[in-house]
Each structure stands twice: as C-alpha cells, then as structure tokens.
Amino acid sequence: MIDSHCHLDLACFSDDIDAVISRALDVGVGHFIIPGIDPTHWQQSQTLAQRYPQISYTLGYHPFFLPLSLTHADIPVLIDSLKLAISTSCIGIGEIGIDRTLALSIDIQIALFDAQVSLAQQLGLPLIIHHRKSHDLIIGRLKQAKFSFGGIIHAFSGNQAIAQAYIDLGFCLGVGGTITYPRGDKTRQALLAVGLEHCVLETDSPDMPMHGRQGQRNEPQYLVDVLKVLERTFVGHDVVGKTTENVQRLFSLAVI
C-alpha cells in the first residue's frame, strides 16, 4: 500500500519517526508521500526522503499556513522560492488549495492557487489539492488553466457529480478516514459509482483519525482501517493493487 498523504514532517513525529515507519511497514504500507505545506517544512520533507527510501514528497503552499497579511505583491516572491526548492526528487506540487473556512482572503488564495497550478503545468508535475467548501472554485480554476497533469484531490468528500468532474480533469480521489465513519456513506457511494480506478489511499497523519481512534495521533499504520472499508465497498476487487497502481501512475513512482 501507499499512504499518498501523510505529514511525517511535522514535529509530533520527530521523536519516534523510525517506529512510525516500522509499524506501517509491518502492516503492509510500503511507501509514503509527504505533501508540502510551507518552506519551514519543505527541508524536513527533503531530509526524511534522503533518510528513508520509502518516502517521497511534494512541495507547495497550503492555504492554512499562509499569513493573513499576505498580499498579491507577495505571490511572485513565494513562487520564486518554490521554484528554487524544487529538485528532481520532488514528485509534485502540493498541498495547494482553496478553503472558504479560512480568514485569508479568497482572492489571495485563488491567485496563489493559480500561480502554483501554472508552475506545475510548466514543470509537468501533478498536484495534491486541499479543498473545503470550494469544489466549485477549484474545478473552475483547473478548467480555466487547462491543467493536464492530474493529481490527487485530498480527503475527497462529495457526491458522484463532483467526483466525476475531478476525474474528467485527470485527478484521483484521496480516500481516508472519512469513509470509516457512519457519516461517510455518501462519499462511499460516490466512490463506488465512479470506480476504484480513480481512488488512492491516504491517512492525512497526524490528523483525520479513523473511526474508533478519535483523540489519538493518526499514523500511516492505520491505513489498513481505510483499506478494510474500501474492500467492503468494492467487494471482489484488488483494492491494494489498484490504489497502489494509481499512485504510481500519477507520480511516476517506481514499482514497489
């Protein structure tokens, strides 16, 4: 299995990262993708990828970590910094996004989102996208940009029509802890309708704990909880094989 979204660069993993990875490997999680959130954490992601061959990373600006003082004039500087940080070992741009629940201006969020999408298009890299009450904006921006390198819609939740809109744009749907809860039925039904060939597994560690693990730090080892639910949803399908293949295709990862 591949955990396509886990923030192993965060401080809460610094004291026991070896054990975290070992526990995940023991249950069959063989590869980890760390999404970038801000320059402070990019270096940690790169250091971890050099230390562990099972780790890959993307780089980008997550809207949650942007200062409220950000202006349009700051965006070219941010993009220049991102360009300088990208090397051949970076497999994508992300975690970028638009989030209507944040205090940061939507106009600023859209401008930075567009700039990062444009950079990914120039470099031929896939995206990892964060959303919150913003599917309409994200789908519209991707269409306008004619973005053609796909990626992952992180923590997908939505109906079949929204799922299909992303799939038509070349994206896979990130499937995580949400579907382990009873309230995840709508998302499970949407995934079943569009098919396993458009799904990837993720934990969003240390956040988004699985059902029954509320209050605990989430870890890649708990990806098996998501797997079990998907196997009940897609009875008779090779969930591990197909979701792993999907991530490998999106990010041009070597066979694990």
Side-chain angles (χ1 to χ4, degrees), residues 3 31 50 75 91 140 150 161 190 196-197 203:
D3 188 343
H31 203 84
Q50 291 169 355
I75 291 176
I91 64 170
L196 186 61
E197 62 269 28
T203 61

Side-chain angles (χ1 to χ4, degrees), residues 36-100:
I37 53 176
D38 65 19
T40 302
H41 293 89
W42 296 348
Q43 182 59 55
Q44 179 67 2
S45 297
Q46 293 166 329
T47 298
L48 288 170
Q50 291 169 355
R51 181 175 170 186
Y52 301 98
Q54 302 93 343
I55 288 178
S56 298
Y57 66 89
T58 64
L59 298 177
Y61 293 98
H62 190 308
F64 181 84
F65 295 89
L66 296 170
L68 294 180
S69 59
L70 193 70
T71 69
H72 286 278
D74 297 318
I75 291 176
V77 178
L78 296 183
I79 296 301
D80 285 344
S81 178
L82 180 56
K83 288 178 181 177
L84 289 173
I86 291 172
S87 67
T88 55
S89 55
C90 174
I91 64 170
I93 300 295
E95 176 179 359
I96 71 172
I98 303 173
D99 188 328
R100 280 193 170 106

Side-chain angles (χ1 to χ4, degrees), residues 171-184:
F171 284 79
C172 281
L173 309 174
V175 183
T178 298
I179 69 162
T180 66
Y181 290 81
R183 66 177 183 270

